[in-house]
Amino acid sequence: MNKSDSEKIETVLCSLGLKKCQNTKEAHLLILNTCGIRLSAENRFLSLMKSQFALKNHHNLPIIGVTGCLSKALQKKIDRFADFSFDIKNLKDLPEKLQFHFPEIKKRLNSPSEYLETDSRRDSSTHAYIPIMSGCDNFCSYCIVPYARGREYSRPSEEILRELQSLLDQGYKAFTLLGQNVNSYGKNLDEDIDFPTLLQKICQLEGNFWLWFLSSHPKDMSDALIKTIAQEKKLCNYLHFAVQSGSDKILKSMNREHTMDHYLELVGKIKVAIPEVMLSTDIIVGFPNETPEDFEKSLELCQKVGFEMVYVGRFSRRPLTPVGKMKDNVSPEIKKERENKIMAVVKKENLKKNKSLENKEVEVLVDKQIAITKSKKTPFYLGKTETFKTVKFTSDKKLTDGSFVTVKITKGLEWGLEGEAL
């Protein structure tokens, strides 16, 4: 989501006549797009903001702007070191804020778009992020998102389909639909639509392309959605399915609104309907009052489900959230130890799955060519499988970014695959 937001911010700035520069030393304007999920990200942001403030020249440049999930939570600190801040939902207000610092912008102002409607200058020419909704109504006790981004609102399906068709016309081959909880897409819309129906409409668009989405909340994972993923060929067999903990006690404290029995029941349905599915998840370690027994349940869950990727977050208190007032009573050393244990299980599972693909043929979407070295005359390419595995492979033929190619896997590694294009 932050990646997509940054692309939208860049679009607005370029429409005003500003040009992107290669490093902060050249910049007249810096926009810091913040993430408030973890304390480590907050600390990096504060350090960067303060250091850039200290480097301002006698013309008071660079001008520093702040947006993202911390723009409200840390307002006092931001007011001290930054020149302005804005809510990403109010992206259309950015040009007006910049007029004070860059008066010449006034000549270039046009009618600004709403946040979700703003076009994006994308870094990739093959894979595009498409926000379909913003905000969250779940209020997990540890999460800043509902306070930072507000309540859920969805984007009309016609707008989404129009953007996708435009990108397909430009040659894009892969799309990731974005939302804090895509499974509940359709709220606050006049049209009668839900997420499975939106996916079906997208898959009816002509062309050869792949479709992923992030993120899925277990409480809104329906049988209709599982059936849609299984039936639609353009929907990839990769599902990020956030669980956060294997302990019902901790899940209740997190206000996650699902139990382990419910989660495992859903995983069972998914694996029956989509046998080749790759599952990834999020797990928080060291949540307040997480005992060794609670953590063992998270570890057992990883072993039972066989996640091929787990994004582990060491708990850190977040401002504005209910848990922000609770005592952080699990030490940093124990959090790190628990993270390492989970990652050891994931590495083992991943290596097992990747080894099973050796000597098999998989379809790969070419991402980019790696520079040819003197010792290697045959170029290497990087690409993704539909299950979002990274593949490094050779090809005797010149391949273009965004092309689909069949690759024979020669080696399975912990975090990827190696192969040869056929």
Side-chain angles (χ1 to χ4, degrees), residues 304-335:
K304 186 178 294 185
V305 174
F307 296 114
E308 293 176 63
M309 176 54 70
V310 176
Y311 298 91
V312 183
R314 302 177 202 173
F315 173 78
S316 55
R317 289 186 292 184
R318 302 287 70 223
L320 306 179
T321 66
V323 180
K325 301 174 184 177
M326 293 177 65
K327 186 176 181 181
D328 188 354
N329 54 6
V330 180
S331 72
E333 293 76 19
I334 291 177
K335 290 176 185 175

Side-chain angles (χ1 to χ4, degrees), residues 136-176:
C136 187
D137 289 347
N138 291 316
F139 289 91
C140 299
S141 64
Y142 53 83
C143 185
I144 194 175
V145 168
Y147 309 97
R149 286 186 173 267
R151 304 300 291 266
E152 285 182 17
Y153 66 99
S154 298
R155 187 180 175 192
S157 64
E158 284 186 8
E159 287 181 13
I160 298 168
L161 292 168
R162 187 163 52 244
E163 181 175 5
L164 282 161
Q165 186 60 64
S166 174
L167 291 166
L168 284 168
D169 293 342
Q170 296 172 48
Y172 280 81
K173 297 294 184 181
F175 306 97
T176 299

